[in-house]
Amino acid sequence: MSIANTFYNVFVKRNSVYVTTIFAGAFAFGVGFDLGVTSFWDRWNQGKQWKDIRHKYVEAESD
Amino acid sequence: MLSRLPQGALKNAARNVNASRSAVRARFASTTSGSSSAFQTFLNSRAALASATLATVGSVAWYAHLYGSLPFFPEVHANSPAEEGLHPPQYPWSHKGLLDSFDHASIRRGYQVYREVCAACHSLDRIAWRNLVGVSHTADEVKVMAEEVEYEDGPNDQGEMFQRPGKLSDYMPPPYPNEEAARSSNGGALPPDLSLIVKARHGGPDYIFALLTGYTEPPAGFEIRDGMNYNAYFPGNAISMARVLFDGLVEYEDGTSATTSQMAKDVVTFLNWAAEPEHDERKKAGLKAVILFSALTAISLYVKRYKWSYIKSRKIRKCCLVD
Amino acid sequence: MAAFQLSKKALSLPPTVRTLASGVPSASLLNLNARAPAHGDHHAHGEVGPRSDTPAAWASKISTTPVGLVSTNYASAKPTGVFQQRLVHTTAVAKDTPQVPDFSGYQAKSESTNRGLAYLMIGSLGVLSASAAKSTVAEFLGTMAASADVLALAKVEVELASIPEGKNVIIKWRGKPVFIRHRTADEIAEAKNTDWKSLRDPESDESRAKRPEWLVMLGVCTHLGCVPIGEAGDFGGWFCPCHGSHYDISGRIRKGPAPLNLEIPSHDFNDAEGKLVIG
């Protein structure tokens, strides 16, 4: 039993399962993709964004 | 276009050359000779089409890269280069790249330069105090800054206007009440509003930076009127605004040494943010869109090939016509 | 011209060979079914026997009519190429078996892997499209939300310490007056002890005032939108001068044409700074 057959039997065989998987996958993808892009963006722009320098000024306020 | 080639088309191109020669066509009149040279068959092959397209597109792209304009399409300018002013050099802005966000520490310093230097003459109409929150200052800091400014509000119960301290929803206070006041204080010249100045000037941040740091003595022979200043980057070279940025003019709270170019860089970054507050989100969304739509394109090409494979590999067999 | 037509007709021989829609050359008046003489050498003459390339009787019919030969075809396959009627033929009929293109490049190595991959790809297309569509819809709906400058104006802060007990304050919020009443203990007791279940718009005082000493209401009469007057009316609350609606000290309608109690805007207390935040 190859991976392809397992995939077919688990997800595709019943259309209801297939469509549900697609929509659940779309939801998971939306969240995951957002997280992934954001983490890449934050790494790429490290030290430049407001959230990277915010702590300096918030601490200064509470002093 | 290349996607329309069948699987391994380029790889099999050489084989197809031979195959097409031996393929039998129904010929109804024999007026041409069946044999053609290898060169002719190469001309008709897909490999030739692909390589010719590649060569054409490539040479046009190379020319455009080298000379900055498309070949055979001359650009027409109403201004001579002297009238346009010197072209600014390209500076390595911290937000220049496709994926680079603004340097928010620089925006914060730039706001300080704007507030202490530029705001004496230039308004910033389209930026409200609340816009600074979460960009360069905390909400508490901005509230304090806003409350230092008195705004006219009203009418109250008696129908009179009254003064009140600023709120987050108020916009940056203008230095002059109206255009006439601004002109009369500046020798007839109107200091432009800076909200969108980076977008409104050819060359964008490069131009503003070059202008702020580009004040020199006029070259010999250049007549300049009283009250005007020479700046090579300004169209016409005579500008009403005098040089305003000098080393050590402001004192940065984060200890950055306030040289002229540092202040110019910071204030241009701030003005660039003011013109494009959506900049960071835009680039992030662009990154997402490029990834998502590339993946969608690649998959739809696969699906297209998949759907067509049935049609393309269909065989029609004549099997049962025997009497 | 007529002479030319005539000569053309005379010179144009009726067709001897036609091409069927199926692509098979047909020369029906020839006895195609005749067997070829048995040759000793079978070089490229094909099999000896009945010709296999003549159409079956049920597939086509050839009849001789006054206008010439008429070939009727019952098979409805579409022509697969461009065929030209040949009036005079000088070349031999191309009889080679048609070469079928090589389809092996299209053939999947493993059928089950191919099926799995195809469904995976189509599923991924659905996943990405659904995600993109969701984002698109969300963005479009987002444009209908209040813009940032409106939201910035939507909150109003009021210093509570500046309002003495037993006083009304009217402030502007989103273009409407808001009544803030610092109620006395007597007024609170009166508002609470009212038999509210029998009122026109039954509401308890607890559900209207988050804190009993502070009553925050929109100062718009629920009848026709006038602004009621404070500390007036038969019930010690508000009185609308337009049509005479009386509200009690909890802002509930007691008498007059108004159908509903005065509306309570969403508000919160900021204890750290002693402020009331409306909105």
Side-chain angles (χ1 to χ4, degrees), chain C residues 94-125:
Chain C
K95 276 191 225 151
D96 313 46
T97 50
Q99 284 208 346
V100 179
D102 180 20
F103 288 137
S104 57
Y106 286 96
Q107 220 147 31
K109 306 281 176 296
S110 150
E111 214 161 280
S112 64
T113 311
N114 191 46
R115 182 181 65 178
L117 182 68
Y119 275 113
L120 180 67
M121 290 303 240
I122 291 169
S124 316
L125 189 72

PDB file of all heavy atoms in Angstrom, chain C residues 94-125:
ATOM      1  N   ALA C  94      -2.309   7.008 -51.034  1.00  0.00           N
ATOM      2  CA  ALA C  94      -1.423   6.684 -49.918  1.00  0.00           C
ATOM      3  C   ALA C  94      -2.100   5.635 -49.073  1.00  0.00           C
ATOM      4  O   ALA C  94      -3.146   5.868 -48.488  1.00  0.00           O
ATOM      5  CB  ALA C  94      -1.147   7.940 -49.105  1.00  0.00           C
ATOM      6  N   LYS C  95      -1.505   4.490 -49.055  1.00  0.00           N
ATOM      7  CA  LYS C  95      -2.178   3.389 -48.382  1.00  0.00           C
ATOM      8  C   LYS C  95      -1.451   2.934 -47.139  1.00  0.00           C
ATOM      9  O   LYS C  95      -1.868   1.969 -46.510  1.00  0.00           O
ATOM     10  CB  LYS C  95      -2.304   2.205 -49.353  1.00  0.00           C
ATOM     11  CG  LYS C  95      -3.492   2.306 -50.266  1.00  0.00           C
ATOM     12  CD  LYS C  95      -3.691   1.000 -50.992  1.00  0.00           C
ATOM     13  CE  LYS C  95      -3.953   1.268 -52.462  1.00  0.00           C
ATOM     14  NZ  LYS C  95      -3.504   0.171 -53.313  1.00  0.00           N
ATOM     15  N   ASP C  96      -0.379   3.633 -46.799  1.00  0.00           N
ATOM     16  CA  ASP C  96       0.368   3.187 -45.621  1.00  0.00           C
ATOM     17  C   ASP C  96      -0.538   3.281 -44.395  1.00  0.00           C
ATOM     18  O   ASP C  96      -1.391   4.155 -44.307  1.00  0.00           O
ATOM     19  CB  ASP C  96       1.582   4.072 -45.371  1.00  0.00           C
ATOM     20  CG  ASP C  96       2.356   4.299 -46.644  1.00  0.00           C
ATOM     21  OD1 ASP C  96       1.700   4.597 -47.690  1.00  0.00           O
ATOM     22  OD2 ASP C  96       3.560   4.205 -46.603  1.00  0.00           O
ATOM     23  N   THR C  97      -0.327   2.422 -43.478  1.00  0.00           N
ATOM     24  CA  THR C  97      -1.110   2.519 -42.247  1.00  0.00           C
ATOM     25  C   THR C  97      -0.723   3.818 -41.554  1.00  0.00           C
ATOM     26  O   THR C  97       0.456   4.140 -41.461  1.00  0.00           O
ATOM     27  CB  THR C  97      -0.805   1.347 -41.306  1.00  0.00           C
ATOM     28  OG1 THR C  97       0.609   1.255 -41.192  1.00  0.00           O
ATOM     29  CG2 THR C  97      -1.380   0.077 -41.820  1.00  0.00           C
ATOM     30  N   PRO C  98      -1.732   4.604 -41.115  1.00  0.00           N
ATOM     31  CA  PRO C  98      -1.403   5.886 -40.488  1.00  0.00           C
ATOM     32  C   PRO C  98      -0.568   5.658 -39.231  1.00  0.00           C
ATOM     33  O   PRO C  98      -0.853   4.760 -38.443  1.00  0.00           O
ATOM     34  CB  PRO C  98      -2.756   6.489 -40.156  1.00  0.00           C
ATOM     35  CG  PRO C  98      -3.699   5.353 -40.184  1.00  0.00           C
ATOM     36  CD  PRO C  98      -3.159   4.343 -41.123  1.00  0.00           C
ATOM     37  N   GLN C  99       0.418   6.514 -39.075  1.00  0.00           N
ATOM     38  CA  GLN C  99       1.267   6.356 -37.900  1.00  0.00           C
ATOM     39  C   GLN C  99       0.658   7.110 -36.725  1.00  0.00           C
ATOM     40  O   GLN C  99       0.351   8.290 -36.817  1.00  0.00           O
ATOM     41  CB  GLN C  99       2.651   6.909 -38.195  1.00  0.00           C
ATOM     42  CG  GLN C  99       3.439   5.963 -39.053  1.00  0.00           C
ATOM     43  CD  GLN C  99       4.918   6.107 -38.796  1.00  0.00           C
ATOM     44  OE1 GLN C  99       5.335   7.068 -38.182  1.00  0.00           O
ATOM     45  NE2 GLN C  99       5.692   5.148 -39.278  1.00  0.00           N
ATOM     46  N   VAL C 100       0.473   6.424 -35.659  1.00  0.00           N
ATOM     47  CA  VAL C 100      -0.087   7.027 -34.452  1.00  0.00           C
ATOM     48  C   VAL C 100       1.060   7.680 -33.681  1.00  0.00           C
ATOM     49  O   VAL C 100       2.120   7.077 -33.551  1.00  0.00           O
ATOM     50  CB  VAL C 100      -0.767   5.957 -33.592  1.00  0.00           C
ATOM     51  CG1 VAL C 100      -1.325   6.570 -32.328  1.00  0.00           C
ATOM     52  CG2 VAL C 100      -1.858   5.287 -34.397  1.00  0.00           C
ATOM     53  N   PRO C 101       0.864   8.931 -33.212  1.00  0.00           N
ATOM     54  CA  PRO C 101       1.939   9.574 -32.447  1.00  0.00           C
ATOM     55  C   PRO C 101       2.300   8.760 -31.218  1.00  0.00           C
ATOM     56  O   PRO C 101       1.488   7.984 -30.703  1.00  0.00           O
ATOM     57  CB  PRO C 101       1.343  10.922 -32.056  1.00  0.00           C
ATOM     58  CG  PRO C 101       0.217  11.145 -32.957  1.00  0.00           C
ATOM     59  CD  PRO C 101      -0.282   9.816 -33.400  1.00  0.00           C
ATOM     60  N   ASP C 102       3.484   8.989 -30.752  1.00  0.00           N
ATOM     61  CA  ASP C 102       3.958   8.255 -29.586  1.00  0.00           C
ATOM     62  C   ASP C 102       3.399   8.902 -28.320  1.00  0.00           C
ATOM     63  O   ASP C 102       3.712  10.035 -28.001  1.00  0.00           O
ATOM     64  CB  ASP C 102       5.481   8.299 -29.559  1.00  0.00           C
ATOM     65  CG  ASP C 102       6.027   7.555 -28.373  1.00  0.00           C
ATOM     66  OD1 ASP C 102       5.279   6.722 -27.826  1.00  0.00           O
ATOM     67  OD2 ASP C 102       7.188   7.816 -28.001  1.00  0.00           O
ATOM     68  N   PHE C 103       2.557   8.180 -27.630  1.00  0.00           N
ATOM     69  CA  PHE C 103       1.924   8.735 -26.435  1.00  0.00           C
ATOM     70  C   PHE C 103       2.621   8.299 -25.157  1.00  0.00           C
ATOM     71  O   PHE C 103       2.158   8.588 -24.067  1.00  0.00           O
ATOM     72  CB  PHE C 103       0.453   8.295 -26.358  1.00  0.00           C
ATOM     73  CG  PHE C 103      -0.408   8.976 -27.369  1.00  0.00           C
ATOM     74  CD1 PHE C 103      -1.370   8.282 -28.086  1.00  0.00           C
ATOM     75  CD2 PHE C 103      -0.254  10.330 -27.603  1.00  0.00           C
ATOM     76  CE1 PHE C 103      -2.153   8.918 -29.016  1.00  0.00           C
ATOM     77  CE2 PHE C 103      -1.044  10.963 -28.528  1.00  0.00           C
ATOM     78  CZ  PHE C 103      -1.998  10.261 -29.246  1.00  0.00           C
ATOM     79  N   SER C 104       3.706   7.596 -25.279  1.00  0.00           N
ATOM     80  CA  SER C 104       4.295   7.032 -24.066  1.00  0.00           C
ATOM     81  C   SER C 104       4.756   8.122 -23.110  1.00  0.00           C
ATOM     82  O   SER C 104       4.804   7.903 -21.902  1.00  0.00           O
ATOM     83  CB  SER C 104       5.452   6.116 -24.428  1.00  0.00           C
ATOM     84  OG  SER C 104       6.398   6.846 -25.193  1.00  0.00           O
ATOM     85  N   GLY C 105       5.082   9.295 -23.677  1.00  0.00           N
ATOM     86  CA  GLY C 105       5.497  10.392 -22.802  1.00  0.00           C
ATOM     87  C   GLY C 105       4.396  10.847 -21.868  1.00  0.00           C
ATOM     88  O   GLY C 105       4.655  11.413 -20.821  1.00  0.00           O
ATOM     89  N   TYR C 106       3.146  10.611 -22.304  1.00  0.00           N
ATOM     90  CA  TYR C 106       2.016  11.037 -21.483  1.00  0.00           C
ATOM     91  C   TYR C 106       1.605   9.989 -20.470  1.00  0.00           C
ATOM     92  O   TYR C 106       0.775  10.237 -19.619  1.00  0.00           O
ATOM     93  CB  TYR C 106       0.810  11.347 -22.381  1.00  0.00           C
ATOM     94  CG  TYR C 106       0.938  12.635 -23.137  1.00  0.00           C
ATOM     95  CD1 TYR C 106       1.404  12.651 -24.436  1.00  0.00           C
ATOM     96  CD2 TYR C 106       0.599  13.836 -22.529  1.00  0.00           C
ATOM     97  CE1 TYR C 106       1.526  13.822 -25.132  1.00  0.00           C
ATOM     98  CE2 TYR C 106       0.722  15.011 -23.216  1.00  0.00           C
ATOM     99  CZ  TYR C 106       1.181  15.007 -24.527  1.00  0.00           C
ATOM    100  OH  TYR C 106       1.294  16.174 -25.194  1.00  0.00           O
ATOM    101  N   GLN C 107       2.149   8.814 -20.640  1.00  0.00           N
ATOM    102  CA  GLN C 107       1.653   7.723 -19.808  1.00  0.00           C
ATOM    103  C   GLN C 107       2.252   7.798 -18.408  1.00  0.00           C
ATOM    104  O   GLN C 107       3.434   8.093 -18.250  1.00  0.00           O
ATOM    105  CB  GLN C 107       2.024   6.398 -20.451  1.00  0.00           C
ATOM    106  CG  GLN C 107       0.927   5.390 -20.356  1.00  0.00           C
ATOM    107  CD  GLN C 107       0.926   4.494 -21.580  1.00  0.00           C
ATOM    108  OE1 GLN C 107       1.970   4.239 -22.158  1.00  0.00           O
ATOM    109  NE2 GLN C 107      -0.241   4.027 -21.968  1.00  0.00           N
ATOM    110  N   ALA C 108       1.411   7.557 -17.419  1.00  0.00           N
ATOM    111  CA  ALA C 108       1.899   7.624 -16.044  1.00  0.00           C
ATOM    112  C   ALA C 108       2.730   6.393 -15.748  1.00  0.00           C
ATOM    113  O   ALA C 108       2.444   5.301 -16.239  1.00  0.00           O
ATOM    114  CB  ALA C 108       0.728   7.708 -15.083  1.00  0.00           C
ATOM    115  N   LYS C 109       3.751   6.575 -14.920  1.00  0.00           N
ATOM    116  CA  LYS C 109       4.599   5.436 -14.554  1.00  0.00           C
ATOM    117  C   LYS C 109       3.794   4.476 -13.690  1.00  0.00           C
ATOM    118  O   LYS C 109       3.779   3.274 -13.931  1.00  0.00           O
ATOM    119  CB  LYS C 109       5.818   5.926 -13.796  1.00  0.00           C
ATOM    120  CG  LYS C 109       6.607   7.005 -14.519  1.00  0.00           C
ATOM    121  CD  LYS C 109       7.500   6.438 -15.603  1.00  0.00           C
ATOM    122  CE  LYS C 109       8.190   7.569 -16.348  1.00  0.00           C
ATOM    123  NZ  LYS C 109       7.221   8.445 -17.084  1.00  0.00           N
ATOM    124  N   SER C 110       3.134   5.057 -12.699  1.00  0.00           N
ATOM    125  CA  SER C 110       2.333   4.214 -11.821  1.00  0.00           C
ATOM    126  C   SER C 110       0.951   4.826 -11.722  1.00  0.00           C
ATOM    127  O   SER C 110       0.812   6.004 -11.407  1.00  0.00           O
ATOM    128  CB  SER C 110       2.973   4.112 -10.438  1.00  0.00           C
ATOM    129  OG  SER C 110       1.957   3.938  -9.462  1.00  0.00           O
ATOM    130  N   GLU C 111      -0.032   4.046 -12.001  1.00  0.00           N
ATOM    131  CA  GLU C 111      -1.381   4.605 -12.072  1.00  0.00           C
ATOM    132  C   GLU C 111      -1.858   5.117 -10.713  1.00  0.00           C
ATOM    133  O   GLU C 111      -2.467   6.173 -10.605  1.00  0.00           O
ATOM    134  CB  GLU C 111      -2.342   3.545 -12.587  1.00  0.00           C
ATOM    135  CG  GLU C 111      -3.441   4.147 -13.432  1.00  0.00           C
ATOM    136  CD  GLU C 111      -4.097   3.094 -14.294  1.00  0.00           C
ATOM    137  OE1 GLU C 111      -3.530   2.745 -15.356  1.00  0.00           O
ATOM    138  OE2 GLU C 111      -5.158   2.629 -13.889  1.00  0.00           O
ATOM    139  N   SER C 112      -1.559   4.375  -9.649  1.00  0.00           N
ATOM    140  CA  SER C 112      -2.070   4.782  -8.332  1.00  0.00           C
ATOM    141  C   SER C 112      -1.360   6.038  -7.836  1.00  0.00           C
ATOM    142  O   SER C 112      -1.984   6.927  -7.267  1.00  0.00           O
ATOM    143  CB  SER C 112      -1.907   3.645  -7.334  1.00  0.00           C
ATOM    144  OG  SER C 112      -0.537   3.382  -7.149  1.00  0.00           O
ATOM    145  N   THR C 113      -0.052   6.121  -8.096  1.00  0.00           N
ATOM    146  CA  THR C 113       0.666   7.338  -7.712  1.00  0.00           C
ATOM    147  C   THR C 113       0.115   8.528  -8.465  1.00  0.00           C
ATOM    148  O   THR C 113      -0.093   9.614  -7.910  1.00  0.00           O
ATOM    149  CB  THR C 113       2.161   7.179  -8.029  1.00  0.00           C
ATOM    150  OG1 THR C 113       2.605   5.951  -7.514  1.00  0.00           O
ATOM    151  CG2 THR C 113       2.957   8.313  -7.428  1.00  0.00           C
ATOM    152  N   ASN C 114      -0.147   8.311  -9.745  1.00  0.00           N
ATOM    153  CA  ASN C 114      -0.663   9.395 -10.576  1.00  0.00           C
ATOM    154  C   ASN C 114      -2.017   9.862 -10.057  1.00  0.00           C
ATOM    155  O   ASN C 114      -2.281  11.060  -9.960  1.00  0.00           O
ATOM    156  CB  ASN C 114      -0.791   8.912 -12.012  1.00  0.00           C
ATOM    157  CG  ASN C 114      -1.051  10.056 -12.949  1.00  0.00           C
ATOM    158  OD1 ASN C 114      -0.377  11.073 -12.852  1.00  0.00           O
ATOM    159  ND2 ASN C 114      -2.037   9.905 -13.815  1.00  0.00           N
ATOM    160  N   ARG C 115      -2.854   8.900  -9.670  1.00  0.00           N
ATOM    161  CA  ARG C 115      -4.172   9.259  -9.163  1.00  0.00           C
ATOM    162  C   ARG C 115      -4.049  10.039  -7.867  1.00  0.00           C
ATOM    163  O   ARG C 115      -4.669  11.093  -7.691  1.00  0.00           O
ATOM    164  CB  ARG C 115      -4.987   7.982  -8.936  1.00  0.00           C
ATOM    165  CG  ARG C 115      -6.387   8.254  -8.457  1.00  0.00           C
ATOM    166  CD  ARG C 115      -7.133   6.971  -8.235  1.00  0.00           C
ATOM    167  NE  ARG C 115      -6.539   6.201  -7.156  1.00  0.00           N
ATOM    168  CZ  ARG C 115      -7.010   5.036  -6.721  1.00  0.00           C
ATOM    169  NH1 ARG C 115      -8.049   4.499  -7.297  1.00  0.00           N
ATOM    170  NH2 ARG C 115      -6.420   4.395  -5.737  1.00  0.00           N
ATOM    171  N   GLY C 116      -3.193   9.541  -6.977  1.00  0.00           N
ATOM    172  CA  GLY C 116      -2.995  10.245  -5.711  1.00  0.00           C
ATOM    173  C   GLY C 116      -2.474  11.645  -5.930  1.00  0.00           C
ATOM    174  O   GLY C 116      -2.969  12.618  -5.348  1.00  0.00           O
ATOM    175  N   LEU C 117      -1.491  11.779  -6.845  1.00  0.00           N
ATOM    176  CA  LEU C 117      -0.904  13.097  -7.104  1.00  0.00           C
ATOM    177  C   LEU C 117      -1.945  14.049  -7.677  1.00  0.00           C
ATOM    178  O   LEU C 117      -2.041  15.212  -7.274  1.00  0.00           O
ATOM    179  CB  LEU C 117       0.272  12.946  -8.070  1.00  0.00           C
ATOM    180  CG  LEU C 117       0.995  14.238  -8.396  1.00  0.00           C
ATOM    181  CD1 LEU C 117       1.725  14.738  -7.163  1.00  0.00           C
ATOM    182  CD2 LEU C 117       1.977  14.042  -9.533  1.00  0.00           C
ATOM    183  N   ALA C 118      -2.756  13.507  -8.626  1.00  0.00           N
ATOM    184  CA  ALA C 118      -3.756  14.362  -9.259  1.00  0.00           C
ATOM    185  C   ALA C 118      -4.756  14.884  -8.225  1.00  0.00           C
ATOM    186  O   ALA C 118      -5.049  16.086  -8.182  1.00  0.00           O
ATOM    187  CB  ALA C 118      -4.482  13.575 -10.346  1.00  0.00           C
ATOM    188  N   TYR C 119      -5.217  13.996  -7.347  1.00  0.00           N
ATOM    189  CA  TYR C 119      -6.182  14.447  -6.337  1.00  0.00           C
ATOM    190  C   TYR C 119      -5.533  15.395  -5.342  1.00  0.00           C
ATOM    191  O   TYR C 119      -6.157  16.334  -4.865  1.00  0.00           O
ATOM    192  CB  TYR C 119      -6.793  13.239  -5.616  1.00  0.00           C
ATOM    193  CG  TYR C 119      -7.960  12.652  -6.360  1.00  0.00           C
ATOM    194  CD1 TYR C 119      -7.906  11.395  -6.921  1.00  0.00           C
ATOM    195  CD2 TYR C 119      -9.131  13.398  -6.509  1.00  0.00           C
ATOM    196  CE1 TYR C 119      -8.971  10.869  -7.608  1.00  0.00           C
ATOM    197  CE2 TYR C 119     -10.200  12.880  -7.197  1.00  0.00           C
ATOM    198  CZ  TYR C 119     -10.115  11.617  -7.746  1.00  0.00           C
ATOM    199  OH  TYR C 119     -11.183  11.109  -8.432  1.00  0.00           O
ATOM    200  N   LEU C 120      -4.250  15.115  -5.040  1.00  0.00           N
ATOM    201  CA  LEU C 120      -3.540  15.998  -4.109  1.00  0.00           C
ATOM    202  C   LEU C 120      -3.429  17.404  -4.704  1.00  0.00           C
ATOM    203  O   LEU C 120      -3.684  18.409  -4.030  1.00  0.00           O
ATOM    204  CB  LEU C 120      -2.154  15.435  -3.821  1.00  0.00           C
ATOM    205  CG  LEU C 120      -1.313  16.274  -2.867  1.00  0.00           C
ATOM    206  CD1 LEU C 120      -1.913  16.254  -1.469  1.00  0.00           C
ATOM    207  CD2 LEU C 120       0.119  15.781  -2.816  1.00  0.00           C
ATOM    208  N   MET C 121      -3.073  17.471  -5.992  1.00  0.00           N
ATOM    209  CA  MET C 121      -2.895  18.773  -6.626  1.00  0.00           C
ATOM    210  C   MET C 121      -4.221  19.518  -6.713  1.00  0.00           C
ATOM    211  O   MET C 121      -4.297  20.713  -6.429  1.00  0.00           O
ATOM    212  CB  MET C 121      -2.318  18.590  -8.033  1.00  0.00           C
ATOM    213  CG  MET C 121      -0.898  18.123  -8.031  1.00  0.00           C
ATOM    214  SD  MET C 121       0.175  19.237  -7.124  1.00  0.00           S
ATOM    215  CE  MET C 121       1.311  19.703  -8.367  1.00  0.00           C
ATOM    216  N   ILE C 122      -5.265  18.792  -7.106  1.00  0.00           N
ATOM    217  CA  ILE C 122      -6.565  19.446  -7.226  1.00  0.00           C
ATOM    218  C   ILE C 122      -7.052  19.890  -5.850  1.00  0.00           C
ATOM    219  O   ILE C 122      -7.609  20.975  -5.674  1.00  0.00           O
ATOM    220  CB  ILE C 122      -7.561  18.508  -7.935  1.00  0.00           C
ATOM    221  CG1 ILE C 122      -7.135  18.362  -9.391  1.00  0.00           C
ATOM    222  CG2 ILE C 122      -8.967  19.050  -7.864  1.00  0.00           C
ATOM    223  CD1 ILE C 122      -7.844  17.285 -10.134  1.00  0.00           C
ATOM    224  N   GLY C 123      -6.782  19.040  -4.837  1.00  0.00           N
ATOM    225  CA  GLY C 123      -7.137  19.429  -3.473  1.00  0.00           C
ATOM    226  C   GLY C 123      -6.373  20.663  -3.031  1.00  0.00           C
ATOM    227  O   GLY C 123      -6.942  21.579  -2.438  1.00  0.00           O
ATOM    228  N   SER C 124      -5.066  20.714  -3.363  1.00  0.00           N
ATOM    229  CA  SER C 124      -4.271  21.884  -2.989  1.00  0.00           C
ATOM    230  C   SER C 124      -4.794  23.125  -3.683  1.00  0.00           C
ATOM    231  O   SER C 124      -4.833  24.212  -3.096  1.00  0.00           O
ATOM    232  CB  SER C 124      -2.813  21.682  -3.376  1.00  0.00           C
ATOM    233  OG  SER C 124      -2.385  20.413  -3.043  1.00  0.00           O
ATOM    234  N   LEU C 125      -5.170  22.964  -4.945  1.00  0.00           N
ATOM    235  CA  LEU C 125      -5.746  24.108  -5.666  1.00  0.00           C
ATOM    236  C   LEU C 125      -6.984  24.612  -4.926  1.00  0.00           C
ATOM    237  O   LEU C 125      -7.170  25.825  -4.757  1.00  0.00           O
ATOM    238  CB  LEU C 125      -6.109  23.687  -7.088  1.00  0.00           C
ATOM    239  CG  LEU C 125      -6.520  24.817  -8.025  1.00  0.00           C
ATOM    240  CD1 LEU C 125      -5.314  25.652  -8.384  1.00  0.00           C
ATOM    241  CD2 LEU C 125      -7.149  24.262  -9.285  1.00  0.00           C
TER     242      LEU C 125
END
